[in-house]
């Protein structure tokens, strides 16, 4: 038995048994803005963020390049990739004597899909680096990944520059 994908804009028909996995990975799956109640497919969400949350977003993020980001006072900074996916640089200050940094993707993806990323924070003579994998989700619900870059307050008393690759 075949059914059509219920996501608006998608004309795919899939076997009933594949319905759940297609719906998650479908590029028309609904994703949720981390800053307001907007929801839409990947492309409209990244356009929404670029138009409405300019201050919180770093645009034209492309893969395989290294980006210098000044960590803000917010809970996260938004990175918009060249293919319209959103990534969040999560800034968790609810850890003792430091800050925990990690990255997640806000876009449709099969449950087991992961990407790899690198973070580095440099303040002579200290250099902290993390290379790990991150996961995708359609909606960030405030849960921080268990793997993160721990940046001690003592090592970095000033604004942090983070390199995201
Ligand atoms: Zn679909
Ligand atoms: Zn929004």
């Amino acid at each position: 038995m075949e059914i059509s994908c219920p996501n608006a804009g998608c004309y795919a028909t899939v076997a009933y048994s594949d319905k759940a996995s297609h719906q998650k990975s479908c590029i028309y799956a609904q994703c949720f803005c981390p800053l307001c109640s907007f929801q839409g497919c990947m492309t409209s969400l990244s356009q929404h963020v670029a138009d409405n949350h300019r201050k919180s977003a770093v645009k034209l993020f492309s893969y395989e390049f290294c980006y210098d980001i000044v960590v803000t006072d917010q809970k996260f900074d938004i990175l918009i990739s060249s293919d319209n996916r959103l990534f969040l640089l999560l800034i968790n200050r609810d850890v003792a004597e430091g800050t925990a940094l990690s990255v997640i993707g806000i876009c449709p993806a099969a449950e087991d899909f992961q990407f790899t990323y690198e973070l580095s924070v440099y303040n002579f003579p200290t250099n902290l680096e993390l290379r790990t994998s991150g996961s995708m989700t359609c909606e960030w619900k405030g849960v921080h990944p268990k793997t993160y870059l721990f940046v001690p307050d003592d090592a970095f008393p000033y604004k942090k520059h983070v390199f995201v690759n």
Side-chain angles (χ1 to χ4, degrees):
M1 185 174 134
E2 289 204 324
I3 58 152
S4 51
C5 174
N7 293 327
C10 182
Y11 298 104
T13 51
V14 291
Y16 187 77
S17 54
D18 294 336
K19 182 187 163 199
S21 67
H22 170 80
Q23 260 184 273
K24 273 190 186 135
S25 58
C26 174
I27 63 158
Y28 294 100
Q30 296 288 292
C31 296
F32 297 80
C33 177
L35 289 168
C36 72
S37 58
F38 180 89
Q39 55 173 292
C41 70
M42 202 168 77
T43 310
S44 56
L45 179 62
S46 65
Q47 190 61 49
H48 159 82
V49 168
D51 291 344
N52 297 279
H53 308 300
R54 202 174 290 258
K55 274 188 191 164
S56 311
V58 180
K59 271 218 263 183
L60 302 176
F61 182 83
S62 70
Y63 302 109
E64 312 293 331
F65 282 91
C66 198
Y67 289 83
D68 182 6
I69 294 167
V70 179
V71 173
T72 62
D73 296 334
Q74 298 166 50
K75 285 181 182 167
F76 51 80
D77 289 314
I78 303 174
L79 314 170
I80 305 176
S81 71
S82 52
D83 61 353
N84 288 316
R85 289 168 199 268
L86 296 187
F87 292 86
L88 300 185
L89 171 64
L90 298 174
I91 307 156
N92 185 3
R93 295 183 181 81
D94 292 336
V95 289
E97 294 174 22
T99 306
L101 301 175
S102 57
V103 177
I104 59 159
I106 303 289
C107 46
E111 235 158 57
D112 53 353
F113 186 85
Q114 295 201 316
F115 61 94
T116 58
Y117 68 94
E118 289 176 34
L119 290 177
S120 63
V121 178
Y122 182 71
N123 184 32
F124 183 81
T126 307
N127 186 29
L128 304 173
E129 284 188 28
L130 172 70
R131 179 180 300 147
T132 187
S133 61
S135 53
M136 305 283 196
T137 176
C138 285
E139 182 180 15
W140 184 55
K141 292 178 175 150
V143 178
H144 290 270
K146 291 203 170 74
T147 303
Y148 51 78
L149 182 65
F150 179 72
V151 184
D153 288 335
D154 282 357
F156 298 93
Y158 310 112
K159 277 217 158 181
K160 299 171 184 75
H161 285 259
V162 177
F163 294 93
V164 181
N165 186 359

